Amino acid sequence: MMVPFALMGLGALAAAMAPRLLSRSDWIDREPVLALWVWQCVVVGVLLCCALTMALTGAAAWDAVRGNVFAPAPKGVVDAYALSGYGPLAAPVALVLAFGAVWSAVMLTREIGRARAWRRQHRAELLVRSPALPGEEPGEERLVVLESDKPDAWWLPGTTPQLVITTAALRRLKGRRLDAVIAHEQGHARARHHWLLHCSGALAIGFPQVTMFAAFRDEVHRLVELAADDSASRRFGRTTTALALVELNEDRGVFGPCPSGLAQVPQRVDRLLAPASRLPVARRWRLTATAALVPAVPLLVTLVPALRVLG
């Protein structure tokens, strides 16, 4: 049972060490897109360790599972894994991991259902607050302007994504600052950030005892905003984007002594006004390649017995 033990050890090590190592890295805020990639690779690596362990222990416990897992493999490969030596622990481990997989799917389905319900509710509110004109089909417009005294702008994802902006924001933001806010929301839409938010939220809610998933969710919420800020600042400048953030949020109390839930806005403004230099291209490529190896390691560990036989 060495391979499943090795896989579970790798998964536990990655889950315990990755948040600590990433929290101590000095490049995370400088490269939010790269940081999101690293986080995704680590989480996929941990989930892959669990999935491969479930497959091997299930194959050891039940002949039907073994026939599906090792269907295309020659008999010598099956013997190399010594499935008969996994003992009575194989079935309970496989069942626990299978339950975890089903629970993850249920949590993700629930998270997506909640997001769809939220979108339906907001689209219905938009129809009430911004009714369609005669001859206009509801939901066709990609830009919706709402009459409101509160400056705000947000992207409503879905099959017909919409950018919603209030009249107060239009009055307050002028020229390139308004363009920067729109570019920020378009950056979220282009990168499909809502899917990352759904997946990280499902894992954190479904497995609250796993601190890595909670850290993943928190970092995704923070990093997607930094990535969208960078997307806007590349087109309209960091100062313009920072001033747009200030004007959009100054009435919400985020810059006072008792900030609200938008407490990260001041840090985002400071980051835009005093930018740190980006990592060298070579180091970015090295970090990208290293992160891509994280999900590859469990696959290599799993294939070692088979490669020995076939080699």
Side-chain angles (χ1 to χ4, degrees):
M1 204 170 176
M2 289 301 297
V3 175
F5 278 146
L7 289 171
M8 294 305 294
L10 283 173
L13 182 64
M17 297 301 298
R20 298 180 184 179
L21 294 175
L22 289 172
S23 65
R24 296 174 184 173
S25 301
D26 59 353
W27 57 269
I28 299 296
D29 288 358
R30 296 158 64 186
E31 300 289 348
V33 175
L34 178 57
L36 285 170
W37 166 253
V38 173
W39 268 108
Q40 290 175 79
C41 288
V42 171
V43 171
V44 169
V46 172
L47 296 178
L48 197 56
C49 285
C50 296
L52 292 172
T53 302
M54 179 183 67
L56 290 176
T57 52
W62 300 288
D63 292 337
V65 177
R66 184 182 311 178
N68 290 320
V69 172
F70 292 96
K75 186 178 183 303
V77 172
V78 180
D79 295 338
Y81 284 90
L83 298 177
S84 59
Y86 283 18
L89 287 177
V93 170
L95 289 174
V96 168
L97 292 174
F99 174 78
V102 173
W103 184 248
S104 299
V106 170
M107 290 295 102
L108 181 58
T109 303
R110 190 179 73 166
E111 190 72 17
I112 294 174
R114 285 179 175 179
R116 287 179 175 175
W118 179 87
R119 289 199 297 268
R120 284 195 299 268
Q121 177 185 351
H122 278 256
R123 289 186 189 279
E125 292 175 358
L126 289 179
L127 288 177
V128 173
R129 298 175 63 185
S130 180
L133 297 175
E136 182 183 18
E137 291 294 331
E140 282 185 347
E141 63 280 356
R142 297 181 67 85
L143 173 65
V144 179
V145 178
L146 292 182
E147 187 71 34
S148 175
D149 295 331
K150 177 183 176 183
D152 204 355
W154 67 93
W155 189 267
L156 195 60
T159 54
T160 55
Q162 293 175 310
L163 174 63
V164 184
I165 191 165
T166 64
T167 52
L170 293 176
R171 287 192 297 267
R172 178 169 294 186
L173 297 167
K174 302 298 181 182
R176 291 172 61 85
R177 296 180 190 178
L178 177 60
D179 294 336
V181 170
I182 294 174
H184 173 97
E185 299 303 330
Q186 289 175 335
H188 284 311
R190 281 195 302 270
R192 300 288 195 273
H193 284 157
H194 58 287
W195 282 110
L196 263 180
L197 295 171
H198 294 333
C199 294
S200 62
L203 289 172
I205 294 172
F207 303 95
Q209 68 278 10
V210 182
T211 56
M212 184 194 74
F213 292 152
F216 178 48
R217 176 195 56 193
D218 295 341
E219 281 295 279
V220 164
H221 277 271
R222 190 178 70 89
L223 291 171
V224 295
E225 295 299 332
L226 299 187
D229 287 344
D230 289 346
S231 177
S233 66
R234 281 193 292 269
R235 295 178 59 187
F236 301 102
R238 288 183 171 271
T239 302
T240 300
T241 306
L243 291 174
L245 275 175
V246 171
E247 292 182 352
L248 200 62
N249 295 283
E250 61 184 350
D251 294 338
R252 303 181 184 182
V254 298
F255 298 102
C258 299
S260 66
L262 298 171
Q264 60 176 274
V265 173
Q267 286 74 31
R268 289 166 55 193
V269 172
D270 292 340
R271 173 179 175 271
L272 288 167
L273 293 177
S277 58
R278 295 194 65 184
L279 297 179
V281 175
R283 187 180 177 190
R284 273 182 278 164
W285 277 109
R286 285 198 300 271
L287 286 170
T288 302
T290 303
L293 288 176
V294 175
V297 170
L299 291 173
L300 292 175
V301 170
T302 305
L303 293 175
V304 163
L307 294 176
R308 286 178 178 172
V309 171
L310 297 176

